[in-house]
Amino acid sequence: NATYAMTNMILKLLKENKPDSILVVFDSKVPSFRHEISKDYKAQRKPMPDNLSVQVPYVKSVIGALGIPVLEIEGYEADDVIGTIVEGLRNEEVEIFIVTGDKDLMQFIGENVYVYDTMKNVVYGEKEVEEKFGVSPSLMCDFLALSGDTSDNIPGIPGIGEKTARMLTREFGSLEDIYERIEDIKKDSLKEKLIRGKDFAFLSKRLATIKRDVP
């Protein structure tokens, strides 16, 4: 079923969106640098089921048969490879669509860079990210550093949820800016949470930040 679903998705993409260029990126089997930073990173995720893992070579065969390049860089997640490609194309006169349902990659959205969630049939630009999360794409890492991300086991700061993370990033900007101006925070209980959770926050930002320089 996974092979069939993936094939259908790619054929639909080719037929309806007619991209000039397309490539597919896979996670490396070798753990990424994030697992060295935090042993808890994605630790809550169950291993890929056997009946799914055996289909991966078939999926890659289908993609290859369609003439689509496949990239997989040892020791890096697909997100980091995608981020590096996007960064390398930013100054070219092209529109870039990152096809994913993963909100982490929204940090790359900007002029001519979009995230296309085919499952929901939604294209996210800067305006859509601000409407959905209440922060600009450039502050997504800082937002996740404060509020955390349960899907990737990114801790964030205990006691700070999305609403407070949104307020802080809107008012102060990046995580570094928030801590530089921590004395400007009027609410003592919030200031205390930030002080106690500083290490968690900066660890979370490192985990949430997608690399742009994969070799």
Side-chain angles (χ1 to χ4, degrees):
N1 186 57
T3 309
Y4 178 71
M6 182 73 173
T7 304
N8 268 352
M9 193 194 96
I10 291 176
L11 290 174
K12 187 168 185 274
L13 200 66
L14 293 170
K15 184 180 177 183
E16 295 183 3
N17 300 95
K18 296 181 173 60
D20 296 309
S21 303
I22 183 170
L23 62 92
V24 178
V25 186
F26 282 84
D27 283 332
S28 162
K29 294 183 184 72
V30 177
S32 76
F33 67 94
R34 291 181 183 84
H35 293 90
E36 294 171 19
I37 297 170
S38 170
K39 67 181 188 304
D40 295 325
Y41 179 67
K42 292 187 178 179
Q44 85 291 5
R45 292 194 184 180
K46 293 177 182 176
M48 188 185 291
D50 291 342
N51 63 350
L52 180 56
S53 61
V54 295
Q55 294 184 66
V56 173
Y58 294 100
V59 169
K60 289 179 180 176
S61 293
V62 170
I63 295 166
L66 289 166
I68 298 169
V70 172
L71 268 178
E72 187 176 320
I73 310 293
E74 190 169 294
Y76 292 95
E77 292 183 46
D79 287 2
D80 299 307
V81 180
I82 293 167
T84 301
I85 293 165
V86 170
E87 196 62 25
L89 290 171
R90 270 197 194 277
N91 297 323
E92 304 292 327
E93 290 185 9
V94 291
E95 281 192 315
I96 304 162
F97 290 85
I98 306 169
V99 181
T100 181
D102 191 344
K103 66 176 177 286
D104 296 357
L105 280 155
M106 289 183 179
Q107 63 193 259
F108 283 94
I109 290 172
E111 189 177 355
N112 294 335
V113 181
Y114 308 90
V115 163
Y116 178 27
D117 186 340
T118 54
M119 301 296 283
K120 295 176 182 172
N121 197 30
V122 177
V123 175
Y124 292 95
E126 291 180 88
K127 177 170 161 283
E128 289 76 17
V129 172
E130 293 204 29
E131 285 173 357
K132 186 174 175 66
F133 297 100
V135 296
S136 67
S138 62
L139 290 172
M140 277 299 291
C141 294
D142 306 277
F143 173 74
L144 293 171
L146 293 164
S147 63
D149 185 357
T150 53
S151 66
D152 287 341
N153 232 21
I154 293 174
I157 295 179
I160 290 185
E162 289 191 0
K163 186 178 177 184
T164 305
R166 192 175 297 119
M167 178 272 291
L168 286 167
T169 48
R170 274 180 170 174
E171 188 171 342
F172 297 102
S174 71
L175 195 65
E176 291 77 8
D177 292 335
I178 291 166
Y179 279 98
E180 272 183 28
R181 295 178 54 197
I182 199 162
E183 294 307 320
D184 294 342
I185 294 169
K186 306 285 192 292
K187 197 174 176 182
D188 289 337
S189 61
L190 176 56
K191 192 190 293 184
E192 183 61 30
K193 284 175 187 173
L194 286 164
I195 291 167
R196 282 203 317 267
K198 185 175 181 179
D199 289 344
F200 278 124
F202 280 94
L203 168 69
S204 298
K205 184 165 180 176
R206 285 179 72 196
L207 292 172
T209 301
I210 293 170
K211 290 183 78 66
R212 299 161 187 245
D213 59 353
V214 173

